[in-house]
Amino acid sequence: MPQEHNEFAAAIEFINRDHPRASINDGEKILLNPAQVLDNISHAMERLDLDINTPISIEEDVAALTELHTMVLNLMMGPTLAVHVVNTALRIMSARYPAELVTNPLPAEYDLRKIIPLPLDDHAHDLAKKIFNQRTTAATDLVEDDLYDLYEPLDVPTQLQVFNALFYMYGTKIGALKHRTGIA
């Protein structure tokens, strides 16, 4: 009975539009709401902007690895995840910080791995930085087609690394903007 109750509770959470549950996973199959995953990413990014000291774990606070993996492998939404992060980042930053600071690209010497110990290879890091800077300097949001040539040769683990890197690049830029402007 307890397992049935847990499954019922998970189903109720999943269909509740006000609940952040984005998937139900029985170990073999996953029922996923990609829009909820994207909403959860946005909410985590907004929380980070409101309190830079908020500890955020991708796996625990944003999206489960199985959700992200399913979006990339089965739904081929790796580019969607990337453009969502960078477009959301610019929307959040532009609302609170001076435009001349927001639109400055990450400098050539910027290396996320020196700030946050993430398991990123050079290719994934450089690609994430390129995407982040592409959106930072663009006048409009990126769309998936803007990343098609970059993503076509990437495997699932690399696409997941790029997503993680973009999320944390946003966090480091928000931290730098807060430090530079004094905006809490």
Side-chain angles (χ1 to χ4, degrees):
M1 183 80 119
Q3 183 173 346
E4 286 178 5
H5 178 66
N6 288 342
E7 290 172 357
F8 181 73
I12 294 297
E13 291 172 356
F14 182 73
I15 61 173
N16 180 348
R17 291 181 186 210
D18 295 325
H19 196 281
R21 178 179 284 276
S23 67
I24 298 176
N25 187 346
D26 69 4
E28 292 181 28
K29 296 177 190 169
I30 184 170
L31 184 59
L32 179 70
N33 179 349
Q36 186 63 55
V37 173
L38 297 176
D39 284 349
N40 292 347
I41 292 166
S42 296
H43 292 306
M45 293 174 74
E46 290 164 358
R47 280 194 333 256
L48 192 57
D49 178 46
L50 293 175
D51 182 3
I52 194 66
N53 295 316
T54 299
I56 292 185
S57 161
I58 299 282
E59 178 74 23
E60 295 172 19
D61 301 314
V62 180
L65 181 58
T66 55
E67 294 169 353
L68 296 170
H69 191 269
T70 299
M71 287 182 74
V72 171
L73 178 66
N74 300 93
L75 302 177
M76 295 183 282
M77 292 181 75
T80 302
L81 288 169
V83 297
H84 181 71
V85 170
V86 295
N87 290 338
T88 301
L90 262 288
R91 177 183 53 78
I92 292 169
M93 292 185 297
S94 296
R96 290 188 71 186
Y97 306 99
E100 63 274 5
L101 297 177
V102 171
T103 58
N104 278 340
L106 299 171
E109 65 275 3
Y110 175 87
D111 190 336
L112 177 65
R113 298 164 295 187
K114 292 180 180 177
I115 303 166
I116 300 170
L118 290 175
L120 291 171
D121 63 36
D122 289 340
H123 179 65
H125 181 273
D126 294 344
L127 184 56
K129 189 168 140 183
K130 179 178 183 171
I131 294 167
F132 196 91
N133 284 342
Q134 182 178 348
R135 176 58 191 101
T136 299
T137 59
T140 60
D141 282 349
L142 295 181
V143 296
E144 288 84 352
D145 287 347
D146 295 329
L147 305 183
Y148 179 78
D149 290 339
L150 298 174
Y151 267 75
E152 187 177 25
L154 301 181
D155 59 11
V156 172
T158 303
Q159 290 184 46
L160 293 172
Q161 284 183 29
V162 170
F163 165 77
N164 280 334
L166 288 168
F167 188 89
Y168 285 105
M169 285 176 180
Y170 160 75
T172 62
K173 180 133 182 180
I174 283 288
L177 290 171
K178 287 182 177 295
H179 177 75
R180 177 87 184 267
T181 63
I183 297 173

